[in-house]
Amino acid sequence: MKSKSLIALFGLLLVLPAQAKLKVFILAGQSNMQGAGQVNINPKSHTKGKGSLEYLMKDPKTAAKFAHLKDKKGEWVVRKDVWIRYDDRQDGLRPGFGARNTTIGPELGFGTIVGDAVEEPVLLIKTCWGGKSIMVDFRPPSSGMPPKAMMEKMLKGMQRREPKATKKDVEAKVGFYYREMLTGVAQTLKDLKKYYPAYDGKGYEVVGFGWHQGWNDGGNMDNVNAYEENLANLIKDIRKEWGTPNLPIVIGVSGFGGRKQSTDRRLGIIAAQHAVAKRKEFKGTVASVETRDFFRPAEESPSRQGYHWNGNAETYYLIGEGMGKAMMKLLEKE
């Protein structure tokens, strides 16, 4: 007959949750994936802090939506089930992981959604840099080199600063940040205990990729016309790199200016991003998220930088939230 202590131990094991693999999501792009959403109220701003995260938490119209971000003591909640690594910053998910520690990007809304929906522990890896195009900087291997005329123009520009620059120097710049993205992810996954101290050694799984980028490519029509193919190639290349042929991909489209956006180049980027998600080859595994309705005018925001969504924290949170919801729908289809 088993002792009471053994029976009690067996019963305890039955109710303990099984340790599951760490679920890893990668968030990539340029400055708007970094994030310029202001956290703190700046009383000297032209709107007295309107549109900042602190303002949103005090505004009766939005307070309830963002109440979960602070505890009863008024301190920012630091999630233990969702961890984030961005450059030299790492911690449980909380405000302060934008381009600066005083800003947020889409990661806050995204992490909130996936963290609430996924039972296993979650790690977000942000790999993003400001002012980068997919035409050159993030250019994936499958796209080859940019057109000859563009390469020659790049070389001439380089030689004005560095007279001895060669064609090889230009070629080294093509896809540099695509490779940096892969390196950053590999570095993190190779040493998870360093970047996610709570890691239990039970393994990990790369389960999703989020992309929010487009400003630089919207600068000229050559980039716009090539955008759909370049982004499709990026998706196929990272899936091959990470050994995940059907990796769920979510694209937060480049919706600056909201529904009043009329510049053909900007509209062209949005159309290309939606078109990638509609490709037959990506059916059920790639989704685009419309963001134009999240745009807030400067009169309701901390800044007047339209290309950075006017620094509006609500905008960045909603973009991340939308991307998170789209990601969960894709994961449910697996």
PDB file of all heavy atoms in Angstrom, residues 129 132 136-138 173-182:
ATOM      1  N   TRP A 129      15.519  48.940 -37.115  1.00  0.00           N
ATOM      2  CA  TRP A 129      16.426  50.081 -37.210  1.00  0.00           C
ATOM      3  C   TRP A 129      15.748  51.182 -38.010  1.00  0.00           C
ATOM      4  O   TRP A 129      15.058  50.916 -39.000  1.00  0.00           O
ATOM      5  CB  TRP A 129      17.730  49.672 -37.907  1.00  0.00           C
ATOM      6  CG  TRP A 129      18.481  48.600 -37.181  1.00  0.00           C
ATOM      7  CD1 TRP A 129      19.445  48.768 -36.226  1.00  0.00           C
ATOM      8  CD2 TRP A 129      18.316  47.179 -37.334  1.00  0.00           C
ATOM      9  NE1 TRP A 129      19.898  47.542 -35.782  1.00  0.00           N
ATOM     10  CE2 TRP A 129      19.221  46.547 -36.435  1.00  0.00           C
ATOM     11  CE3 TRP A 129      17.495  46.379 -38.130  1.00  0.00           C
ATOM     12  CZ2 TRP A 129      19.321  45.160 -36.326  1.00  0.00           C
ATOM     13  CZ3 TRP A 129      17.587  44.994 -38.018  1.00  0.00           C
ATOM     14  CH2 TRP A 129      18.491  44.398 -37.127  1.00  0.00           C
ATOM     15  N   LYS A 132      15.291  52.521 -42.751  1.00  0.00           N
ATOM     16  CA  LYS A 132      15.770  51.405 -43.570  1.00  0.00           C
ATOM     17  C   LYS A 132      14.704  50.948 -44.573  1.00  0.00           C
ATOM     18  O   LYS A 132      13.530  50.843 -44.239  1.00  0.00           O
ATOM     19  CB  LYS A 132      16.174  50.228 -42.683  1.00  0.00           C
ATOM     20  CG  LYS A 132      17.249  50.570 -41.657  1.00  0.00           C
ATOM     21  CD  LYS A 132      18.556  50.948 -42.331  1.00  0.00           C
ATOM     22  CE  LYS A 132      19.639  51.335 -41.339  1.00  0.00           C
ATOM     23  NZ  LYS A 132      19.516  52.692 -40.828  1.00  0.00           N
ATOM     24  N   VAL A 136      16.846  48.066 -50.323  1.00  0.00           N
ATOM     25  CA  VAL A 136      18.293  47.929 -50.149  1.00  0.00           C
ATOM     26  C   VAL A 136      18.636  47.295 -48.802  1.00  0.00           C
ATOM     27  O   VAL A 136      19.219  46.213 -48.733  1.00  0.00           O
ATOM     28  CB  VAL A 136      19.009  49.297 -50.274  1.00  0.00           C
ATOM     29  CG1 VAL A 136      20.499  49.144 -49.994  1.00  0.00           C
ATOM     30  CG2 VAL A 136      18.789  49.884 -51.664  1.00  0.00           C
ATOM     31  N   ASP A 137      18.295  47.960 -47.708  1.00  0.00           N
ATOM     32  CA  ASP A 137      18.774  47.569 -46.375  1.00  0.00           C
ATOM     33  C   ASP A 137      18.288  46.191 -45.918  1.00  0.00           C
ATOM     34  O   ASP A 137      19.061  45.377 -45.426  1.00  0.00           O
ATOM     35  CB  ASP A 137      18.364  48.621 -45.343  1.00  0.00           C
ATOM     36  CG  ASP A 137      18.818  50.010 -45.742  1.00  0.00           C
ATOM     37  OD1 ASP A 137      20.035  50.233 -45.787  1.00  0.00           O
ATOM     38  OD2 ASP A 137      17.952  50.860 -46.030  1.00  0.00           O
ATOM     39  N   PHE A 138      16.984  45.942 -46.043  1.00  0.00           N
ATOM     40  CA  PHE A 138      16.406  44.663 -45.646  1.00  0.00           C
ATOM     41  C   PHE A 138      16.270  43.706 -46.833  1.00  0.00           C
ATOM     42  O   PHE A 138      15.586  42.690 -46.723  1.00  0.00           O
ATOM     43  CB  PHE A 138      15.014  44.866 -45.026  1.00  0.00           C
ATOM     44  CG  PHE A 138      15.028  45.200 -43.561  1.00  0.00           C
ATOM     45  CD1 PHE A 138      14.765  46.497 -43.128  1.00  0.00           C
ATOM     46  CD2 PHE A 138      15.280  44.223 -42.610  1.00  0.00           C
ATOM     47  CE1 PHE A 138      14.746  46.804 -41.772  1.00  0.00           C
ATOM     48  CE2 PHE A 138      15.265  44.520 -41.257  1.00  0.00           C
ATOM     49  CZ  PHE A 138      15.001  45.815 -40.834  1.00  0.00           C
ATOM     50  N   LYS A 173      26.392  46.627 -48.621  1.00  0.00           N
ATOM     51  CA  LYS A 173      25.298  47.352 -47.961  1.00  0.00           C
ATOM     52  C   LYS A 173      23.929  46.756 -48.295  1.00  0.00           C
ATOM     53  O   LYS A 173      22.971  46.921 -47.546  1.00  0.00           O
ATOM     54  CB  LYS A 173      25.326  48.833 -48.371  1.00  0.00           C
ATOM     55  CG  LYS A 173      26.461  49.628 -47.731  1.00  0.00           C
ATOM     56  CD  LYS A 173      26.355  51.088 -48.084  1.00  0.00           C
ATOM     57  CE  LYS A 173      27.391  51.913 -47.322  1.00  0.00           C
ATOM     58  NZ  LYS A 173      27.142  51.905 -45.862  1.00  0.00           N
ATOM     59  N   VAL A 174      23.864  46.082 -49.427  1.00  0.00           N
ATOM     60  CA  VAL A 174      22.600  45.483 -49.850  1.00  0.00           C
ATOM     61  C   VAL A 174      22.259  44.291 -48.947  1.00  0.00           C
ATOM     62  O   VAL A 174      23.038  43.356 -48.819  1.00  0.00           O
ATOM     63  CB  VAL A 174      22.679  45.026 -51.315  1.00  0.00           C
ATOM     64  CG1 VAL A 174      21.380  44.316 -51.716  1.00  0.00           C
ATOM     65  CG2 VAL A 174      22.935  46.214 -52.239  1.00  0.00           C
ATOM     66  N   GLY A 175      21.113  44.373 -48.297  1.00  0.00           N
ATOM     67  CA  GLY A 175      20.689  43.293 -47.411  1.00  0.00           C
ATOM     68  C   GLY A 175      21.403  43.257 -46.065  1.00  0.00           C
ATOM     69  O   GLY A 175      21.232  42.302 -45.295  1.00  0.00           O
ATOM     70  N   PHE A 176      22.163  44.316 -45.755  1.00  0.00           N
ATOM     71  CA  PHE A 176      22.925  44.318 -44.505  1.00  0.00           C
ATOM     72  C   PHE A 176      22.019  44.139 -43.287  1.00  0.00           C
ATOM     73  O   PHE A 176      22.322  43.360 -42.375  1.00  0.00           O
ATOM     74  CB  PHE A 176      23.725  45.622 -44.382  1.00  0.00           C
ATOM     75  CG  PHE A 176      24.509  45.726 -43.094  1.00  0.00           C
ATOM     76  CD1 PHE A 176      25.743  45.123 -42.969  1.00  0.00           C
ATOM     77  CD2 PHE A 176      23.996  46.418 -41.998  1.00  0.00           C
ATOM     78  CE1 PHE A 176      26.471  45.199 -41.786  1.00  0.00           C
ATOM     79  CE2 PHE A 176      24.714  46.505 -40.801  1.00  0.00           C
ATOM     80  CZ  PHE A 176      25.950  45.893 -40.698  1.00  0.00           C
ATOM     81  N   TYR A 177      20.890  44.849 -43.265  1.00  0.00           N
ATOM     82  CA  TYR A 177      20.012  44.776 -42.094  1.00  0.00           C
ATOM     83  C   TYR A 177      19.126  43.527 -42.104  1.00  0.00           C
ATOM     84  O   TYR A 177      18.648  43.107 -41.053  1.00  0.00           O
ATOM     85  CB  TYR A 177      19.199  46.059 -41.947  1.00  0.00           C
ATOM     86  CG  TYR A 177      20.080  47.177 -41.427  1.00  0.00           C
ATOM     87  CD1 TYR A 177      20.730  48.046 -42.307  1.00  0.00           C
ATOM     88  CD2 TYR A 177      20.322  47.313 -40.067  1.00  0.00           C
ATOM     89  CE1 TYR A 177      21.585  49.032 -41.828  1.00  0.00           C
ATOM     90  CE2 TYR A 177      21.172  48.297 -39.583  1.00  0.00           C
ATOM     91  CZ  TYR A 177      21.800  49.147 -40.465  1.00  0.00           C
ATOM     92  OH  TYR A 177      22.658  50.108 -39.987  1.00  0.00           O
ATOM     93  N   TYR A 178      18.951  42.923 -43.255  1.00  0.00           N
ATOM     94  CA  TYR A 178      18.318  41.602 -43.295  1.00  0.00           C
ATOM     95  C   TYR A 178      19.215  40.617 -42.548  1.00  0.00           C
ATOM     96  O   TYR A 178      18.754  39.838 -41.702  1.00  0.00           O
ATOM     97  CB  TYR A 178      18.119  41.157 -44.738  1.00  0.00           C
ATOM     98  CG  TYR A 178      17.645  39.725 -44.869  1.00  0.00           C
ATOM     99  CD1 TYR A 178      16.294  39.403 -44.808  1.00  0.00           C
ATOM    100  CD2 TYR A 178      18.562  38.688 -45.027  1.00  0.00           C
ATOM    101  CE1 TYR A 178      15.860  38.090 -44.911  1.00  0.00           C
ATOM    102  CE2 TYR A 178      18.139  37.365 -45.131  1.00  0.00           C
ATOM    103  CZ  TYR A 178      16.778  37.078 -45.070  1.00  0.00           C
ATOM    104  OH  TYR A 178      16.358  35.768 -45.155  1.00  0.00           O
ATOM    105  N   ARG A 179      20.512  40.682 -42.840  1.00  0.00           N
ATOM    106  CA  ARG A 179      21.469  39.783 -42.183  1.00  0.00           C
ATOM    107  C   ARG A 179      21.615  40.115 -40.698  1.00  0.00           C
ATOM    108  O   ARG A 179      21.758  39.217 -39.861  1.00  0.00           O
ATOM    109  CB  ARG A 179      22.821  39.856 -42.897  1.00  0.00           C
ATOM    110  CG  ARG A 179      22.761  39.379 -44.346  1.00  0.00           C
ATOM    111  CD  ARG A 179      24.137  39.288 -44.975  1.00  0.00           C
ATOM    112  NE  ARG A 179      24.776  40.579 -45.168  1.00  0.00           N
ATOM    113  CZ  ARG A 179      24.592  41.372 -46.226  1.00  0.00           C
ATOM    114  NH1 ARG A 179      23.741  41.000 -47.180  1.00  0.00           N
ATOM    115  NH2 ARG A 179      25.237  42.520 -46.333  1.00  0.00           N
ATOM    116  N   GLU A 180      21.558  41.401 -40.373  1.00  0.00           N
ATOM    117  CA  GLU A 180      21.620  41.805 -38.967  1.00  0.00           C
ATOM    118  C   GLU A 180      20.416  41.274 -38.194  1.00  0.00           C
ATOM    119  O   GLU A 180      20.529  40.868 -37.035  1.00  0.00           O
ATOM    120  CB  GLU A 180      21.663  43.328 -38.856  1.00  0.00           C
ATOM    121  CG  GLU A 180      23.007  43.940 -39.175  1.00  0.00           C
ATOM    122  CD  GLU A 180      24.044  43.645 -38.109  1.00  0.00           C
ATOM    123  OE1 GLU A 180      23.969  44.245 -37.011  1.00  0.00           O
ATOM    124  OE2 GLU A 180      24.924  42.797 -38.366  1.00  0.00           O
ATOM    125  N   MET A 181      19.255  41.262 -38.840  1.00  0.00           N
ATOM    126  CA  MET A 181      18.053  40.718 -38.217  1.00  0.00           C
ATOM    127  C   MET A 181      18.250  39.241 -37.885  1.00  0.00           C
ATOM    128  O   MET A 181      17.974  38.797 -36.768  1.00  0.00           O
ATOM    129  CB  MET A 181      16.865  40.895 -39.165  1.00  0.00           C
ATOM    130  CG  MET A 181      15.580  40.213 -38.711  1.00  0.00           C
ATOM    131  SD  MET A 181      14.215  40.480 -39.877  1.00  0.00           S
ATOM    132  CE  MET A 181      14.787  39.517 -41.294  1.00  0.00           C
ATOM    133  N   LEU A 182      18.748  38.488 -38.844  1.00  0.00           N
ATOM    134  CA  LEU A 182      18.985  37.069 -38.622  1.00  0.00           C
ATOM    135  C   LEU A 182      20.020  36.843 -37.524  1.00  0.00           C
ATOM    136  O   LEU A 182      19.870  35.947 -36.693  1.00  0.00           O
ATOM    137  CB  LEU A 182      19.454  36.403 -39.919  1.00  0.00           C
ATOM    138  CG  LEU A 182      18.486  36.415 -41.106  1.00  0.00           C
ATOM    139  CD1 LEU A 182      19.069  35.615 -42.261  1.00  0.00           C
ATOM    140  CD2 LEU A 182      17.128  35.862 -40.716  1.00  0.00           C
TER     141      LEU A 182
END
